[in-house]
Amino acid sequence: MDILQSWRRVLASDDNRRRYDAYIERWESRIACLLERDLTRATGTPDAALPLSGIPFAVKDNIAVRDFHLTCGSKILQNLVSPYTATAVKRLEAAGARVIGKTNLDEFGMGSSTDNSALQRSNNPWNASAVCGGSSGGSAAVVAAGLVPFALGSDTGGSVRQPASFCGCFGLKPTWGSVSRFGLVAYASSLEVIGVLARDVDTVETVYDLMAGADDLDQSSLARPAAPPAREIRTVGVLRGTAGLAAPIEAACRNTIDALKQSGCEIVELELPMLEYVVPAYYTIATAEASANLARYTGIRYGLRAAVDEGQEQMVAATRNAGFGDEVKLRILLGTYVLRSGFQDQYYVRAQKIRTAIRNAFDAAFQQADVILSPVYPTQAFVRGAGELSPFAQKLADRFTASANLAGIPAFAFPTGVADGLPVGLQFMGPPFAEHRLFDAVRRLPDVAPLMRPDGYDEGWRS
Amino acid sequence: MNLDDLTTTARLALLDIPDPEKLAHAFTEMLHHFEKMNEVDVSGLEPTTHALLRENRLRKDVVTNDDRSDELLARAADAKGRFFRIPNVL
């Protein structure tokens, strides 16, 4: 809790808020990661005994916070102000924390760079020409730049972990269902979960513990089991067949394996041939669920409405054409296609059976290893206009992250260092509800997970 | 997959795509990638819809949420009284 201490008074007076706002402004002129910010509504001194009393945080703009906008980075919801607050946010507010802003994202969470936001372009705090990753790119960047001690994101196929790696912070994708999805705008319901980004493991753990647990407002939410998996780590699995990694990622894997051995872990090589099918199965399921979830944006009850005078169906089609960006349209089309009568068995049902095989493979792997060490993404953050991956290549690169979403298991991305001016990160995966084991796995690596600071990062304004 | 397939799919998705050719390449590229799943022998595997969901969560059939209808109606693109207004359907 030490790191959080220095944040407790930043909203406590007009003077403190002014200093805080000036620091935010200094960064925002470079990285533009907040879609909305408001330090004034966080007035009033919460009970000092609360665990997060007075602590500011930011929330990805696909998670509802009452009276803040809820744009999802989309023109179709650009003007929507949320009438309610997500359960995860409510629990943190009840613990004394205060939302100070909403962060940019790829439209509806669909992308790996945050450049798919229809509302604004965000930059990486380490290099303003580089992307901050996605889809929770804004949340990762504001944490890395020290604008907030933590931020919430959502992870459907890697959307917390990949930007955390790109920006040099920690990112937890919890066990599916362990955090209520009430108030998270639905993209792919069976895969997504609200996660935490922070600059230190303790903060991630504190925030996760406060927001996790069953919720009457989300019937798929799960209570933490009475006997969760043990925290102890003796064996670490590493994946065979991870060709195609950028050199700094490969070096990080080697160094981390060495550090784990030094700390007394046994390394077990794992063969998971099913991982080759993660990406097609993931995109089949994610797009199918997206096509159903995004059918609600019709312009009738809320959000953008195209000016069409005659015909409800024409109005709806024109609204969706004007309101959705190309990536969202592509995924709705793919999802609609794989669910069309005659194609379901070939695509959707097959993908769900492969999902079973992937789960079984992980179950077997966790018989041999307490945690699995894996890359997050094959590359560091891309610099725009230089070696960017094509949109298709970006999807293929989700293979290390999306596996955890298909299996529903927790995964924790952590920074390992900086190469060529940009952060490098890896992840641990564990069996369901083994979040605390993953935290402890990272704690064994003090030397490879330093507190990294981009140029311009400052804590002095808080003292 | 041809352009007709794409426009039919767009119609089913209530998407008005003025330029289907623009999305056609990315669409076929992904569909082609999905074909990779045919390499897997899926016999004997049950489909997984949710990785960890085991049972339905039940609760008493009582109203627990407050009435927010005014707030929700205030967000309508077009409303008249207590109704959402839409273009003529006939």
Side-chain angles (χ1 to χ4, degrees):
Chain A
M1 293 293 280
D2 290 343
I3 288 190
L4 289 176
Q5 283 300 339
S6 67
W7 289 92
R8 285 187 188 273
R9 301 206 44 85
V10 296
L11 297 167
S13 69
D14 287 348
D15 245 19
N16 289 6
R17 273 197 297 274
R18 259 193 299 277
R19 263 205 303 266
Y20 187 11
D21 195 58
Y23 183 68
I24 294 178
E25 187 49 43
R26 193 140 42 96
W27 270 105
E28 273 297 281
S29 59
R30 270 164 63 189
I31 61 174
C33 285
L34 289 166
L35 290 171
E36 186 177 13
R37 75 183 202 240
D38 188 347
L39 306 187
T40 61
R41 73 182 75 183
T43 51
T45 316
D47 184 345
L50 293 171
L52 298 179
S53 178
I55 299 206
F57 68 113
V59 177
K60 186 180 184 181
D61 208 14
N62 63 347
I63 300 171
V65 182
R66 187 180 167 90
D67 296 335
F68 275 93
H69 281 79
L70 182 58
T71 68
C72 296
S74 180
K75 282 193 265 181
I76 211 159
L77 294 179
Q78 191 169 5
N79 296 316
L80 180 70
V81 176
S82 179
Y84 63 94
T85 296
T87 298
V89 174
K90 256 198 172 148
R91 288 182 179 178
L92 297 173
E93 287 179 336
R98 293 292 175 258
V99 179
I100 58 101
K102 302 297 292 288
T103 58
N104 200 13
L105 68 158
D106 289 301
E107 188 175 0
F108 287 102
M110 299 181 187
S112 310
S113 63
T114 303
D115 283 356
N116 284 345
S117 169
L119 305 183
Q120 101 193 7
R121 170 164 277 201
S122 297
N123 302 319
N124 192 306
W126 290 83
N127 173 350
S129 318
V131 302
C132 43
S135 65
S136 312
S139 288
V142 295
V143 165
L147 305 191
V148 282
F150 70 90
L152 299 188
S154 62
D155 194 312
T156 308
S159 281
V160 162
R161 292 162 284 158
Q162 188 259 26
S165 267
F166 276 22
C167 293
C169 56
F170 296 89
L172 173 70
K173 172 239 176 277
T175 304
W176 184 83
S178 72
V179 178
S180 167
R181 284 183 293 116
F182 177 76
L184 169 65
V185 175
Y187 152 29
S189 311
S190 80
L191 301 164
E192 65 206 359
V193 60
I194 292 178
V196 193
L197 299 104
R199 290 179 47 81
D200 65 297
V201 182
D202 291 359
T203 300
V204 174
E205 181 168 14
T206 301
V207 172
Y208 170 70
D209 285 346
L210 286 166
M211 71 179 189
D215 174 22
D216 284 342
L217 296 173
D218 173 5
Q219 84 99 25
S220 65
S221 62
L222 301 166
R224 193 171 162 72
R231 294 179 80 132
E232 202 181 352
I233 303 140
R234 291 201 198 99
T235 48
V236 177
V238 295
L239 303 175
R240 233 183 254 156
T242 51
L245 298 178
I249 313 285
E250 217 177 294
C253 288
R254 272 199 312 272
N255 295 339
T256 305
I257 290 170
D258 285 346
L260 287 164
K261 279 185 192 158
Q262 297 264 313
S263 82
C265 293
E266 186 194 336
I267 304 294
V268 187
E269 280 207 14
L270 296 171
E271 198 95 53
L272 291 174
M274 282 315 293
L275 292 192
E276 211 184 316
Y277 304 98
V278 162
V279 173
Y282 166 74
Y283 274 96
T284 301
I285 291 169
T287 58
E289 293 184 6
S291 73
N293 277 325
L294 273 63
R296 73 191 62 178
Y297 303 109
T298 57
I300 291 176
R301 289 166 301 159
Y302 55 93
L304 179 79
R305 179 186 288 194
V308 172
D309 294 333
E310 291 293 322
Q312 184 196 336
E313 212 163 281
Q314 289 88 326
M315 184 278 283
V316 171
T319 295
R320 290 161 67 79
N321 182 49
F324 290 140
D326 281 345
E327 183 63 32
V328 174
K329 285 175 189 166
L330 173 65
R331 295 196 194 189
I332 291 174
L333 286 169
L334 282 166
T336 306
Y337 188 85
V338 299
L339 290 176
R340 276 175 69 174
S341 70
F343 298 129
Q344 281 203 12
D345 283 346
Q346 189 184 344
Y347 296 110
Y348 185 57
V349 176
R350 179 167 280 266
Q352 290 189 321
K353 288 179 176 172
I354 290 174
R355 182 178 193 177
T356 306
I358 290 166
R359 278 182 55 204
N360 293 345
F362 273 113
D363 284 349
F366 288 123
Q367 297 300 314
Q368 292 176 264
D370 297 320
V371 294
I372 296 173
L373 175 73
S374 138
V376 171
Y377 206 72
T379 70
Q380 294 172 276
F382 352 110
V383 177
R384 293 189 183 95
E388 262 170 286
L389 299 177
S390 72
F392 180 62
Q394 287 184 31
K395 293 186 176 81
L396 297 186
D398 288 339
R399 63 185 186 275
F400 298 119
T401 46
S403 54
N405 301 82
L406 285 170
I409 58 176
F412 188 37
F414 57 96
T416 59
V418 181
D420 306 321
L422 285 167
V424 182
L426 300 173
Q427 65 175 337
F428 283 117
M429 295 185 267
F433 294 103
E435 281 81 359
H436 296 85
R437 185 188 292 174
L438 304 184
F439 301 146
D440 285 356
V442 173
R443 288 185 176 115
R444 297 177 87 106
L445 303 167
D447 298 334
V448 293
L451 270 184
M452 307 185 306
R453 296 170 175 191
D455 259 356
Y457 177 93
D458 184 29
E459 293 175 352
W461 61 271
R462 273 187 255 150
S463 55
Chain B
M1 217 293 297
N2 54 40
L3 270 188
D4 275 355
D5 266 343
L6 190 57
T7 45
T8 307
T9 306
R11 190 170 44 74
L12 292 169
L14 283 178
L15 275 174
D16 172 15
I17 308 272
D19 185 6
E21 278 168 47
K22 196 174 141 200
L23 286 171
H25 172 70
F27 185 82
T28 34
E29 198 173 36
M30 282 305 283
L31 269 192
H32 183 70
H33 185 60
F34 290 172
E35 307 286 330
K36 190 176 169 56
M37 294 191 294
N38 290 331
E39 297 168 9
V40 182
D41 177 10
V42 294
S43 53
L45 288 170
E46 288 297 315
T48 294
T49 55
H50 291 81
L52 300 168
L53 201 56
R54 296 279 177 272
E55 56 196 9
N56 282 324
R57 172 186 300 279
L58 301 174
R59 63 170 175 82
K60 291 247 161 29
D61 185 17
V62 291
V63 177
T64 52
N65 50 336
D66 19 315
D67 179 4
R68 298 222 174 130
S69 54
D70 288 335
E71 272 186 88
L72 298 178
L73 276 163
R75 285 162 175 79
D78 193 7
K80 186 180 182 184
R82 304 280 302 159
F83 297 94
F84 294 107
R85 187 152 58 180
I86 58 166
N88 288 332
V89 268
L90 293 175

